[in-house]
Amino acid sequence: MTQHASDETLALLTRLSQKPGVQSTLILSRETGAIVRTSGLVSSSSDANPNSTLPPSADNTVDGYTNGRKESGIHSAEDVARMVWSFLTAAGSLVEELDSEDEVKLLRLRTKKNELVIVPDPKFILVVVHDTPPA
Amino acid sequence: MDQTAQQRRAEILAKKAKLEELRRQRELRRESAANRQSGIHSPTPLAQPTPRREDTKRELENLIEKIVGDSRPGSTVPGSPAGGARASRPTSVISAGQLSGNSGENESPPTPKPTTTYVDTAIQTLSITPLTTVYEFPAEPKNEEVIMYSKGVQTSDTWSPSRKRGSTGSDSERDESPTRTPVASKRLSRRQLQRDEEIRSMLRKEIEEEIKAASQTNLEGGAVGGSNKENFPARTLTNEELNAVQSSDEFLNFVERSTKVLERALDQQYDILADYALGGAEVDEEDEGYGSGQGKKGRRIKEVAQFWDERWSKKRMISDVGFSTKFPELVLASYTKNPSAPHDPDGLVQVWNLHMHDRPEYIFHAQSDILTAKFSPFHPNLIIGGAYSGQVLLWDTRAKSAPVQKTPLTGSGHTHPVYSLDIVGTQNANNIISCSTDGVVCGWTVDMLSQPQEFLELSSPPPAKTEDMAPTCIAFPQSDPTYFLAGTEEGSIYPCHRYDRAGAKAGVDKRVKYTGHAAPVMSLDFHPAKGQIDLGDLVISSSVDWSVKLWKVRPPAATGTSTAAADASSQLVTPLLDIAREDLVYDARWSPVKPSVFALVDGAGSLEIWDINVDVEVPVQKISPSNEKRGAFGGGMGGLDYMKSSLNKVAWEKNEGRKVVVGGMDGVVTVFEFAIRLIGMCTLY
């Protein structure tokens, strides 16, 4: 049953990563910043990285979602993870200082090229990088 | 100036004397040390205490002075060969002290003596070790501290206003006197020395703390220090850890929640960063599109969203749709079973969000096909449904997908399919009324579905060939929850009472019968009694005899008096208006805001908007759901392709009345939005 359930939630993630415009997804542990799952990222430039972190990304490539736009400013999963993590920490401390009982619920970082949507949770962080609608 | 110079000289002399004394003591100590080393223990304890006391005192002084003395040379150490104007004096002193030990002091008159003296005393304290280390030892800490102090002094110069006067003064003096050694500067430097001393001690403390903290964090590992690149991913997780994490409930819940949030975020169409100045051309285009649509159709109607889920909607038919009253963006759809997936639950209710296009907000299951479902109007979290098995089910959006409550399958409730149910009453006292095709009507409390509160069996009044009655739908007037209409499979519509009243027993009111439909009645809808004129007695009914009829229903009290005379035969009431359509009409619903408007859906798959004030022959608007999502359906019905487009149900959004949701055979939920002009505003009442 749990296996079944986890399959289904992973399917959710896969679906999310395959939504049009989504470049990459990333799940981090909130405490340590360890990468739990990625897709659409060049994964690791560094060494030991268990393959089990990346099935969605594999699916992605199979599905041909790695079209052209990838090559641009995409970094390795570790880089993105680190940057997002420190960004989130900074945002967290900002909110903490504004109101100590408050907490960050959602971060949408719009850039010229794309948008990062970060959903922090007590235990995990979900990050999606996607194209902004052409405006 | 001269006086001060003399004073200075006197001081120097005194210091020299002291130095001599010190030197003598050192000699003594050296001797004692030598004695000790040679194995004579008795003299050492006697000899040592005395110099120790002095030493400690002096040590303190010297330490301080060392700091002071060092700092200035420090700043200029690198620059001293180039003749660093600022602090050439102290550097030379130090270098002299360092290089030439004892002899250097005499040659440099302005030397702050303390520096030299303490060099010696420092040696004394450590005199246990061989003397050779003397020169190296003081040099090392000096070099270290040099850097830190020079920094400290410089910053204090620049920012601290209280010290500005002194420091600038000394600066200027130093600037003008690179060669001579002014006595005034001595005085100044005296004061400064003290101040600097304090600063330095503070600085030193701070730096020490910093270093300590830094070393600690380093020890604890890089996991905490996210900014540190090498330390960042503390480690990549092993496969077991990943599995453990990914199968944990926390993770699953997190994914569930966060992906919903993200999909809503991604589906948000409106770009709040839109620059209308830049995108002028596009805006024009869109405007034109609107305009031309209006020109063609005359009225605006727009498809807002279509909902379809590959996993769950496949090969299921939509049996009911509805809007949430509390959250107008939530749309409910109930489904029949998927005949090709026997392992999936038969019954399904999906709650869709207008802001999340690709995925239902909630999924609810049941063991039997759901034939009807709706949001509880009194509780935003509750959804009630009727099943083919005769069960009435209650789901809670806060709970999991299984129903939180359901009625038993025993004889106390329904044993036939429940095609129609409603929640009647008020916020604090409401009941679920359900009706099954064997004519049983049950009343339930929301808190307890184990047993019906009311049980009523409807039977056809005498003129009918059989007593059995097969109600397909029931409808309650807004004003009176004790009275309802039941549409039957044979086409008649009967008024029914829930309770005994004067002149009529509970059950079908035998005195009145609304005849007109020649085929099963598919829907009944009382006019929403809003506004000044009560139109609550107007009912529209739809039937598979290709017609929609408008009825004026007599209030139960009136029927009571009128039947006093002619009671034997039931009174036949004919419709006020008969609207013939070109296909089976499956559902017809009044607009919640504009009194004369209703919507209907038919077997041809069109949604029609009627305004009986405008026209009773043709609909004011007719539209079909687009085929965008229907490709996914893939013709699984085999031979029933013509039915695929058929629409089963229609429902209005109750608050604004601008949206309509339809659903049908193909399992696609479609939401339309109307222009205000077509649908009207509440203010029209």
Side-chain angles (χ1 to χ4, degrees):
Chain A
M1 188 56 202
T2 51
Q3 185 57 41
H4 179 66
S6 73
D7 278 353
E8 248 171 47
T9 49
L10 294 187
L12 288 177
L13 279 176
T14 314
R15 232 169 44 92
L16 183 67
S17 66
Q18 288 176 358
K19 277 179 85 83
V22 172
Q23 290 174 358
S24 52
T25 63
L26 189 66
I27 294 185
L28 306 178
S29 152
R30 178 74 182 260
E31 269 171 59
T32 62
I35 297 169
V36 181
R37 203 159 194 91
T38 63
S39 77
L41 286 170
V42 195
S43 70
S44 64
S45 55
S46 71
D47 44 350
N49 192 29
N51 291 328
S52 53
T53 49
L54 319 153
S57 117
D59 290 353
N60 235 4
T61 48
V62 169
D63 286 319
Y65 271 84
T66 49
N67 35 18
R69 54 174 76 103
K70 272 277 178 83
E71 307 123 23
S72 55
I74 288 302
H75 308 271
S76 80
E78 282 76 15
D79 283 346
V80 178
R82 175 174 49 78
M83 291 183 289
V84 162
W85 204 80
S86 54
F87 176 57
L88 189 63
T89 326
S93 64
L94 165 76
V95 172
E96 177 87 1
E97 279 170 40
L98 284 176
D99 181 353
S100 58
E101 291 180 5
D102 214 347
E103 65 179 310
V104 182
K105 299 293 281 180
L106 176 68
L107 286 172
R108 298 187 75 163
L109 182 64
R110 190 65 84 87
T111 65
K112 211 163 147 189
K113 289 182 178 167
N114 45 31
E115 185 184 48
L116 269 84
V117 187
I118 303 169
V119 188
D121 207 59
K123 289 269 176 166
F124 302 99
I125 305 165
L126 175 60
V127 185
V128 163
V129 184
H130 74 107
D131 291 342
T132 44
Chain B
M1 281 296 270
D2 284 349
Q3 282 180 359
T4 51
Q6 279 175 354
Q7 274 180 359
R8 199 70 207 146
R9 214 152 278 163
E11 278 176 11
I12 290 165
L13 280 175
K15 274 175 190 166
K16 268 185 185 168
K18 245 188 211 168
L19 237 179
E20 282 305 314
E21 205 182 326
L22 277 174
R23 215 163 276 157
R24 248 177 280 132
Q25 280 182 346
R26 194 176 56 170
E27 285 300 320
L28 271 172
R29 214 162 342 133
R30 221 181 265 167
E31 280 174 8
S32 70
N35 288 341
R36 221 186 338 161
Q37 276 174 350
S38 63
I40 304 159
H41 293 278
S42 52
T44 39
L46 295 175
Q48 268 187 336
T50 36
R52 273 271 167 94
R53 258 174 241 143
E54 282 181 5
D55 275 354
T56 46
K57 238 191 259 166
R58 222 159 269 145
E59 217 178 321
L60 266 176
E61 274 180 60
N62 293 338
L63 239 173
I64 295 162
E65 274 173 322
K66 193 209 278 180
I67 299 159
V68 175
D70 283 349
S71 71
R72 253 201 249 122
S75 64
T76 45
V77 160
S80 57
R86 258 188 228 163
S88 59
R89 181 173 36 85
T91 355
S92 63
V93 168
I94 286 298
S95 58
Q98 281 175 337
L99 295 175
S100 56
N102 300 340
S103 62
E105 313 151 3
N106 301 331
E107 291 160 15
S108 53
T111 354
K113 290 290 163 171
T115 45
T116 43
T117 48
Y118 84 73
V119 166
D120 288 350
T121 45
I123 292 159
Q124 284 174 344
T125 55
L126 298 167
S127 59
I128 300 158
T129 56
L131 265 176
T132 46
T133 55
V134 162
Y135 295 101
E136 292 169 13
F137 176 72
E140 272 177 351
K142 270 178 198 166
N143 282 340
E144 260 187 5
E145 287 160 349
V146 153
I147 299 155
M148 301 190 287
Y149 298 150
S150 65
K151 274 184 187 167
V153 171
Q154 279 172 352
T155 50
S156 73
D157 277 353
T158 49
W159 62 262
S160 137
S162 62
R163 282 171 192 112
K164 207 170 186 181
R165 188 188 50 81
S167 56
T168 46
S170 69
D171 264 353
S172 64
E173 265 179 326
R174 277 175 204 164
D175 285 345
E176 41 182 69
S177 62
T179 46
R180 80 192 166 105
T181 57
V183 193
S185 75
K186 285 267 149 113
R187 221 195 323 141
L188 240 182
S189 63
R190 260 288 158 85
R191 265 182 269 135
Q192 235 184 324
L193 279 182
Q194 284 180 342
R195 266 189 256 119
D196 289 354
E197 238 170 63
E198 291 166 22
I199 296 166
R200 274 164 203 149
S201 59
M202 276 161 58
L203 268 175
R204 193 204 262 171
K205 262 184 215 161
E206 278 178 8
I207 290 165
E208 275 172 1
E209 277 170 3
E210 270 177 15
I211 290 170
K212 226 183 261 174
S215 63
Q216 269 179 353
T217 51
N218 278 341
L219 281 176
E220 280 169 15
V224 190
S227 59
N228 202 348
K229 186 164 182 170
E230 294 103 48
N231 288 338
F232 169 62
R235 62 216 160 80
T236 41
L237 299 175
T238 65
N239 282 344
E240 289 95 45
E241 280 172 320
L242 270 175
N243 281 337
V245 167
Q246 288 183 1
S247 56
S248 69
D249 279 350
E250 273 171 351
F251 182 77
L252 299 182
N253 285 336
F254 162 73
V255 170
E256 183 78 25
R257 259 177 296 131
S258 60
T259 50
K260 265 183 203 169
V261 172
L262 261 169
E263 292 208 20
R264 280 180 222 147
L266 295 187
D267 283 344
Q268 196 178 7
Q269 294 293 317
Y270 183 65
D271 182 9
I272 53 172
L273 289 177
D275 188 341
Y276 294 108
L278 280 182
E282 272 176 50
V283 171
D284 278 352
E285 233 170 72
E286 208 172 294
D287 251 3
E288 236 168 66
Y290 250 137
S292 64
Q294 192 185 349
K296 216 190 317 169
K297 296 250 177 182
R299 272 141 189 129
R300 293 178 188 176
I301 186 165
K302 200 168 76 178
E303 188 178 298
V304 181
Q306 281 198 313
F307 301 119
W308 159 269
D309 186 77
E310 182 66 31
R311 166 82 175 79
W312 288 107
S313 299
K314 208 176 190 175
K315 295 195 180 177
R316 291 174 190 263
M317 288 179 278
I318 288 174
S319 53
D320 207 350
V321 290
F323 274 95
S324 165
T325 43
K326 179 75 185 290
F327 308 105
E329 68 270 25
L330 293 186
V331 174
L332 161 155
S334 65
Y335 298 80
T336 60
K337 68 167 158 285
N338 175 357
S340 62
H343 297 299
D344 279 353
D346 280 354
L348 175 72
V349 173
Q350 292 187 100
V351 178
W352 298 90
N353 188 337
L354 286 177
H355 301 303
M356 194 161 71
H357 296 168
D358 295 341
R359 173 184 168 196
E361 192 82 22
Y362 300 105
I363 297 179
F364 299 108
H365 297 154
Q367 287 163 334
S368 174
D369 299 30
I370 306 296
L371 301 175
T372 179
K374 59 172 60 181
F375 281 101
S376 163
F378 305 110
H379 197 304
N381 292 117
L382 298 183
I383 292 167
I384 53 167
Y388 189 80
S389 62
Q391 282 173 305
V392 174
L393 305 112
L394 181 76
W395 295 274
D396 193 322
T397 54
R398 296 161 294 188
K400 299 267 179 190
S401 59
V404 289
Q405 279 198 78
K406 56 187 173 189
T407 61
L409 282 168
T410 58
S412 65
H414 295 289
T415 49
H416 279 63
V418 176
Y419 272 97
S420 185
L421 52 70
D422 204 352
I423 297 190
V424 294
T426 59
Q427 179 70 46
N428 294 323
N430 51 68
N431 287 95
I432 301 171
I433 306 294
S434 57
C435 170
S436 58
T437 51
D438 58 348
V440 170
V441 173
C442 288
W444 315 82
T445 59
V446 178
D447 301 326
M448 191 191 69
L449 293 184
S450 60
Q451 212 177 352
Q453 302 289 104
E454 296 165 28
F455 186 89
L456 190 66
E457 205 158 358
L458 305 179
S459 57
S460 294
K465 287 167 196 154
T466 156
E467 280 233 317
D468 293 335
M469 187 169 136
T472 53
C473 53
I474 55 170
F476 283 84
Q478 290 223 320
S479 52
D480 186 2
T482 67
Y483 161 78
F484 62 92
L485 289 185
T488 64
E489 276 183 9
E490 41 115 11
S492 305
I493 300 167
Y494 293 100
C496 308
H497 300 287
R498 278 169 70 190
Y499 311 109
D500 292 346
R501 356 169 131 237
K505 282 198 153 192
V508 175
D509 189 330
K510 295 183 174 66
R511 298 162 296 187
V512 184
K513 181 180 170 188
Y514 300 92
T515 54
H517 284 301
V521 179
M522 297 311 292
S523 77
L524 281 171
D525 193 29
F526 273 90
H527 198 280
K530 263 187 186 176
Q532 293 156 356
I533 306 162
D534 189 4
L535 301 168
D537 57 351
L538 292 179
V539 174
I540 45 169
S541 64
S542 66
S543 166
V544 289
D545 66 356
W546 296 28
S547 72
V548 173
K549 295 187 196 316
L550 175 71
W551 309 83
K552 184 170 171 61
V553 176
R554 299 181 179 197
T559 50
T561 50
S562 70
T563 48
D567 58 325
S569 66
S570 69
Q571 205 175 347
L572 298 185
V573 180
T574 49
L576 290 180
L577 187 66
D578 192 340
I579 301 169
R581 295 310 309 137
E582 295 129 16
D583 211 312
L584 317 169
V585 185
Y586 283 114
D587 202 359
R589 300 283 160 185
W590 289 107
S591 158
V593 288
K594 194 166 181 179
S596 58
V597 171
F598 66 89
L600 67 84
V601 288
D602 64 21
S606 14
L607 164 71
E608 295 180 349
I609 306 297
W610 288 76
D611 188 336
I612 46 179
N613 280 350
V614 172
D615 202 326
V616 293
E617 300 285 328
V618 286
V620 292
Q621 188 73 52
K622 185 170 178 173
I623 194 171
S624 290
S626 70
N627 282 322
E628 240 174 75
K629 299 243 173 175
R630 220 164 290 182
F633 188 63
M637 297 302 288
L640 293 175
D641 273 3
Y642 68 95
M643 285 176 69
K644 260 168 52 181
S645 57
S646 157
L647 291 178
N648 285 344
K649 289 284 177 181
V650 61
W652 291 84
E653 194 273 303
K654 292 278 195 293
N655 298 329
E656 275 188 308
R658 288 192 57 196
K659 291 197 184 79
V660 151
V661 57
V662 298
M665 293 282 278
D666 56 2
V668 178
V669 180
T670 312
V671 179
F672 294 99
E673 190 176 57
F674 304 110
I676 289 169
R677 185 141 54 103
L678 173 64
I679 291 316
M681 299 285 283
C682 287
T683 52
L684 283 177
Y685 276 98

